[in-house]
Amino acid sequence: MEAFKSIANPLSSFFLICILLLFANAAYGKTHYHDFVIQATPVKRLCKTHNAITVNGQFPGPTLEVNNGDTLVVKVVNRARYNVTIHWHGVRQMKTGWADGPEFVTQCPIRPGKSYTYRYTIQGQEGTLWWHAHSSWLRATVYGALIIHPKEGENYPFTKPKRETPILLGEWWDTNPIDVVRRATRTGAAPNVSDAYTINGQPGDLYKCSKQDTTIVHVDTGETNLIRVVNAGLNQQLFFTVANHKFTVVGADASYVKPFTTSVLMLGPGQTTDVLIKTDQPASRYYMAARAYASAQGAPFDNTTTTAILEYKTASCSSNCVKINPVFPSLPAYNDTATATAFTTKFRSPRKVELPTEIDENLFFTVGLGLQNCPRGARSRNCQGPNGTRFAASMNNVSFVLPSNFSLLQAHHQGLPGVFSTDFPAVPPVKFDYTGNVSRSLWQPIRGTKLYKLRYGAKVQVVLQGTSIFTAENHPIHLHGYDFYIIAEGFGNFNAKKDTAKFNLVDPPLRNTASVPVNGWTVIRFVADNPGVWLMHCHLDVHITWGLAMAFIVENGVSELESLEAPPVDFPVC
């Protein structure tokens, strides 16, 4: 009997440890390890082969799939000839700002031949996010999906789909995109627009030399499938639709929404939308298609259309459908602001939300383009903007300048002087008719690295006011490190006396990228509960290149749980 006890007790202990480990894994999630090798890879599109910068030789890059609560450890090795960083777009990065990724904001770039390991945990987010380079225009080809499933044992708040398909919308230049932005920076002119849009990296049937590689999404009759749509384009809002099919929107930016039905989506760069689609049409082939929503009057844009094919695979269709020309969808006009607005204003949270009501920081930020006079002594070839100027962009008349010797987070954490100032204006320095005829004296922004400081826990409201300086257009504004509630949007100049009546304080949607309407405004709210330095910028990359950005410093709270973690040992140095 004693001998039996001596065997049983270790066995009991072993099983107890196993059970505890299982519970620990369920509580804290799994850790996923990935290697990202940034490298030049021959990629053929539009009849020509380019040495595109890719991750692991893939374009688009690898899709990462995790569960809510999991941890990601991604070692990025830079074997390309450019500096690079990776941003995990929409991930809250609670206390892990060192892993956020924007170049010279939270980190110095990963130099050629060097590496850096990003470590962070997904906390309370489910749905579709994505990752992309946040260094120059490398994200033209360096991007991929980040899919967050519910915790193990938990379900979607809708019927489980038969299958799930990520759809990444992108832009393709038939040249090196880094050369495009460098030329624009040198000349002060607008950069060349893209030569094609892509769906999962392929332009589709309507472009030269592309038909044979068109993306095909296979489905069966009678299914309900989940399509995860990401606008990974650099500079263009996009309409997206599928011929003869309707979408039920169930999520956006890794937050669930109150389901609604639509036949067309509009996504700004950076935004994601999760939709259910029923395969209830006759077995055949149907085009998925995307093309520009171009809101800036008179501005050049890529007016081409990218397509993929939704192909039914059934006994009646398997052999015959390949010979059938896909059904082509109806797409909105390029400047169809009414359709874009009807879509963006349908979003609601699934239930009543806990919204900050007593506001500590009531901010008003103008966003838009501008022009800088040709600097004294500069050559005309460096001032090829309108009437011999250089294009610029700004928030509250400040055109944001990134530092080059330290990252902003590093300077903040170490108390380094002279890298930035904390005098970003809370309201426009000059009040004017923001969406009317703007005096040319207001067209010139000042350049600076100005940040705005928030105490930990502050309840923040920001009015994002579009302007008609030079030209008005829709701006997708992305805030790093936070989700925020969009409580209202409208056209014209925001008027606090009458427009506060339009605020949705019951079930506003939770997003990380908001579309500020052309010649209009959007109001967002969030609680500053994530310490660090967080960039807020227009996700049209040409606009951030011109300075349409600012950054918040969120101070540490009182405890370690409310404080930024120490930087990792392999943190890149400038």
Side-chain angles (χ1 to χ4, degrees):
M1 184 65 72
E2 290 299 321
F4 177 77
K5 281 183 181 177
S6 65
I7 295 171
N9 287 338
L11 281 174
S12 312
S13 302
F14 173 76
F15 285 123
L16 182 61
I17 290 168
C18 288
I19 290 167
L20 288 172
L21 283 172
L22 282 172
F23 276 112
N25 282 336
Y28 298 108
K30 296 177 181 176
T31 299
H32 303 261
Y33 296 89
H34 296 276
D35 290 320
F36 275 17
V37 179
I38 312 295
Q39 61 191 44
T41 303
V43 176
K44 186 175 183 180
R45 297 291 186 274
L46 307 182
C47 314
K48 287 167 65 176
T49 299
H50 298 276
N51 263 336
I53 306 302
T54 67
V55 170
N56 300 346
Q58 300 175 40
F59 172 64
T63 294
L64 305 184
E65 295 197 51
V66 299
N67 294 87
N68 182 5
D70 287 356
T71 295
L72 275 157
V73 179
V74 185
K75 182 179 181 180
V76 177
V77 179
N78 187 4
R79 291 186 183 155
R81 59 192 175 107
Y82 305 108
N83 295 334
V84 72
T85 66
I86 301 293
H87 170 51
W88 315 93
H89 185 110
V91 174
R92 284 293 317 269
Q93 298 290 2
M94 297 300 292
K95 305 193 304 169
T96 53
W98 307 106
D100 189 45
E103 184 179 67
F104 293 116
V105 177
T106 59
Q107 68 169 95
C108 295
I110 306 167
R111 305 290 184 185
K114 302 295 184 181
S115 66
Y116 176 48
T117 300
Y118 294 88
R119 300 172 178 84
Y120 58 91
T121 299
I122 305 292
Q123 300 183 50
Q125 295 182 283
E126 294 178 14
T128 306
L129 295 176
W130 62 302
W131 56 265
H132 60 81
H134 213 298
S135 188
S136 185
W137 273 21
L138 284 182
R139 80 172 178 90
T141 53
V142 179
Y143 63 85
L146 172 53
I147 295 171
I148 308 168
H149 298 286
K151 290 182 179 179
E152 286 193 25
E154 297 185 6
N155 300 314
Y156 296 124
F158 45 83
T159 303
K160 185 178 180 181
K162 179 75 174 180
R163 64 184 90 197
E164 303 182 14
T165 306
I167 294 291
L168 283 80
L169 310 177
E171 282 184 272
W172 178 263
W173 276 260
D174 204 15
T175 186
N176 182 352
I178 302 298
D179 290 343
V180 174
V181 67
R182 284 179 174 175
R183 190 180 308 115
T185 302
R186 186 173 64 251
T187 65
N192 291 344
V193 300
S194 55
D195 297 289
Y197 300 114
T198 57
I199 296 178
N200 291 354
Q202 295 293 343
D205 285 6
L206 306 184
Y207 297 90
K208 58 185 180 181
C209 305
S210 302
K211 191 178 181 75
Q212 69 277 11
D213 295 313
T214 297
T215 297
I216 297 177
V217 176
H218 295 291
V219 296
D220 287 322
T221 297
E223 297 177 338
T224 297
N225 296 328
L226 178 61
I227 297 180
R228 302 174 178 273
V229 188
V230 179
N231 184 351
L234 249 71
N235 293 321
Q236 192 61 63
Q237 289 93 340
L238 294 167
F239 289 119
F240 175 77
T241 192
V242 178
N244 292 14
H245 292 73
K246 289 196 171 182
F247 305 124
T248 300
V249 178
V250 293
D253 294 358
S255 291
Y256 295 118
V257 302
K258 196 170 288 179
F260 66 89
T261 303
T262 182
S263 58
V264 63
L265 312 180
M266 195 287 286
L267 298 90
Q271 292 184 319
T272 74
T273 307
D274 292 346
V275 299
L276 298 175
I277 183 170
K278 289 184 177 179
T279 52
D280 55 3
Q281 296 301 300
S284 189
R285 308 172 88 212
Y286 300 88
Y287 273 128
M288 300 174 154
R291 75 176 186 189
Y293 165 48
S295 59
Q297 191 172 1
F301 66 95
D302 179 352
N303 64 358
T304 61
T305 301
T306 180
T307 56
I309 298 172
L310 187 75
E311 183 172 297
Y312 282 66
K313 300 298 287 182
T314 62
S316 63
C317 190
S318 56
S319 58
N320 299 324
C321 279
V322 179
K323 304 167 188 173
I324 299 172
N325 287 328
V327 179
F328 204 85
S330 173
L331 280 156
Y334 298 117
N335 62 349
D336 191 344
T337 292
T339 293
T341 304
F343 176 71
T344 58
T345 53
K346 280 183 182 175
F347 285 85
R348 298 284 186 274
S349 286
R351 58 192 65 85
K352 188 177 181 353
V353 302
E354 290 186 23
L355 197 68
T357 50
E358 294 182 6
I359 302 301
D360 301 311
E361 297 276 0
N362 206 338
L363 308 176
F364 190 106
F365 293 173
T366 54
V367 299
L369 303 186
L371 299 172
Q372 288 180 326
N373 289 335
C374 197
R376 187 170 294 173
R379 297 180 178 181
S380 59
R381 69 187 183 196
N382 300 123
C383 300
Q384 295 182 28
N387 301 316
T389 61
R390 293 178 58 85
F391 273 108
S394 65
M395 300 180 76
N396 274 359
N397 206 46
V398 179
S399 191
F400 194 68
V401 178
L402 288 170
S404 56
N405 296 323
F406 300 96
S407 73
L408 295 172
L409 184 59
Q410 181 185 6
H412 164 61
H413 185 67
Q414 297 179 6
L416 301 174
V419 179
F420 62 84
S421 61
T422 56
D423 56 345
F424 185 87
V427 295
V430 179
K431 290 185 178 180
F432 58 96
D433 181 3
Y434 308 114
T435 56
N437 291 320
V438 182
S439 165
R440 284 185 174 262
S441 64
L442 297 168
W443 284 34
Q444 298 240 7
I446 62 167
R447 289 168 53 81
T449 310
K450 297 176 182 289
L451 279 60
Y452 192 88
K453 189 174 285 189
L454 297 170
R455 66 170 177 80
Y456 183 90
K459 299 174 179 66
V460 185
Q461 175 174 293
V462 186
V463 176
L464 297 164
Q465 173 69 60
T467 63
S468 58
I469 297 176
F470 185 68
T471 187
E473 66 181 294
N474 185 297
H475 295 278
I477 302 295
H478 172 50
L479 175 59
H480 289 231
Y482 286 88
D483 289 326
F484 48 75
Y485 288 107
I486 301 177
I487 61 172
E489 67 173 72
F491 292 98
N493 299 328
F494 178 77
N495 183 326
K497 290 182 179 178
K498 66 174 185 178
D499 288 331
T500 49
K502 302 173 185 174
F503 286 4
N504 176 5
L505 304 180
V506 178
D507 58 355
L510 192 63
R511 303 295 300 261
N512 63 55
T513 306
S515 289
V516 178
V518 55
N519 262 330
W521 50 267
T522 295
V523 183
I524 66 172
R525 284 188 189 178
F526 63 96
V527 177
D529 59 358
N530 192 9
V533 176
W534 305 107
L535 188 66
M536 185 161 77
H537 65 97
C538 182
H539 221 277
L540 305 178
D541 268 30
V542 62
H543 289 182
I544 189 175
T545 302
W546 289 337
L548 212 169
M550 59 80 65
F552 290 108
I553 294 177
V554 179
E555 298 177 309
N556 285 335
V558 294
S559 69
E560 190 177 329
L561 292 173
E562 297 175 347
S563 301
L564 179 70
E565 295 177 359
V569 291
D570 63 338
F571 192 63
V573 294
C574 293

